Amino acid sequence: MNDSSSVSIFEQMGSQSHELLLFCHDKATGLKAIIGVHNTLLGPAMGGLRMYPYHNEEAALQDVLRLSRAMTYKNALAGIHVGGGKAVIIGDPLVHKSEALLRRFGIFLNNLAGKYYVASDVGIKPTDLEYIKLETPYVVGVDQHLGGSGDSSPLTAYGVYLGMKAAVQHAEGHNSLSGKKIMVQGVGKVGSKLVKYLVKEGAEVSVYDVNQQAVNEVVQQFGVKAVEGQDVVNAEVDILSLNALGGVLNSESIPNLRCKMIVGGANNQLLNEEVDSLALRERGILFVPDFMVNAGGIINVSQELHGYHPEVAKRITKKIYDTTLQVLHFASTSDMTPLQAAMAQAEKRIKEVGNNRLYR
C-alpha cells in the first residue's frame, strides 16, 4: 500500500473496495475501536475482534483494512455464506480490558443491525464475547452452554493440517507427513493442536513460542524438540508452519528461509502480499495462503447462523483439503502464485454468487 499518511481514509477504503468503517470511542470506558466491513455480497460480514496495544491509530486502521479483506477471501474460498469483516480494540488486553469496555463495544456493534457478526481473535476470549453478547445478538463463538459453537481452535488446527497434507500431495504425489521435518512457530490453542496431528502421523516436529510455558507443555506432552527464537524462520525443514502473529515473511526474512513449503494458521503472514509471494516463488518455496487453510474456525462459528451442528462444521472444514489441491493446481497451470490463484478463486465465487443474491 502507498504511504497511508498521504492518502485519505476513503481512498484507502476504495483501493481495496471496503464497504464500511465504524470508529468507536467512549471516554468513560476508554474504548477506542474500529470495525471494518469489507464485503457483504455473500452474506453478513463475519470475522474476529482483536484487542492489541497498537503503536498508533494508523497501525490499527491498517490492521482492520487488511484483516477484513482477508476475511472476505477466506469466507468465500471456504464456501460459507458470509462476507468479510474485522474489528480491533486499541489497548493491552491484560491492562485495559473490562466488562464495561466490552459491553460498550457491543452497543456500537448493535448499531450495525447484523451487517457484521463478531467472533474472538487475538486478545479476546470466548468468555469476553459473553459480555458483548449482553448488548447485541450479533456475536458468534461463545461457549456451547450459551448456545454458541464453543472453541474453534480444534477445527482451525484441523484445517491447517489438511492443507499441509494437500500441499505435500501437490508437490510430491502423496500426502503422508511421516518423517517430514516441520517447524511449528506458535503453540497456542491452534498450534498445540496442530502439533498433535503432526506427531500422530509421524512427523519430526520442532516448536517455538514466546510463551515458554506453552512450549514446555507441548514438549512434555508430545516429546517434540524446542528451538531458540533466532533458529525458527531460517530452520532447515520441509515445512515451516507459522501460527502466531503475521508479517513474518518479508524482504528481510525470505532470503534466509531454508524450508520447502510454508503452511500455517497465522493471518497475514506476508508483510507485502504481492512482492513477498513472488519472492517466495522465485526461491522455489511453496507458500500455501493462510486464509485458505486456517478457515476451520470461521467455518465453525458461521454455522451458528443456520443452527449449529458440529458434524456439519467438520464436514465443511474437510473441504479445505480439496480446495487447497485445486488452488495449487490452478496456480501451477496458470502462471500464478498460490496467493493470486486463491484470491482469483475467491473473487470468482463472490462475483457469481453475489450477483445471484443481488437479483433475488
Side-chain angles (χ1 to χ4, degrees), residues 143-154:
D143 288 340
Q144 291 181 347
H145 75 279
L146 293 174
S149 56
D151 184 7
S152 291
S153 62

Side-chain angles (χ1 to χ4, degrees), residues 28-41:
T29 62
L31 175 70
K32 293 181 180 179
I34 310 172
I35 298 174
V37 174
H38 178 256
N39 188 290
T40 57
L41 283 175

Side-chain angles (χ1 to χ4, degrees), residues 121-144:
D121 199 340
V122 175
I124 297 294
K125 302 175 182 178
T127 50
D128 297 324
L129 295 178
E130 295 176 18
Y131 290 126
I132 299 173
K133 196 172 177 64
L134 291 173
E135 305 295 342
T136 179
Y138 307 117
V139 179
V140 291
V142 297
D143 288 340
Q144 291 181 347

Side-chain angles (χ1 to χ4, degrees), residues 8 38 41 43 48 58 69 72 79 82 94 116 123 154 201 221 236 238 247 261 277 311 324 328 336 340 353:
S8 76
H38 178 256
L41 283 175
E58 180 63 28
R69 176 171 170 262
T72 292
V82 293
L94 298 178
Y116 168 62
E201 193 159 331
Q221 185 173 2
E236 188 170 359
D238 296 300
M261 60 182 67
S277 63
E311 64 276 9
T324 302
L328 294 180
M336 292 181 173
Q340 292 169 332
V353 179

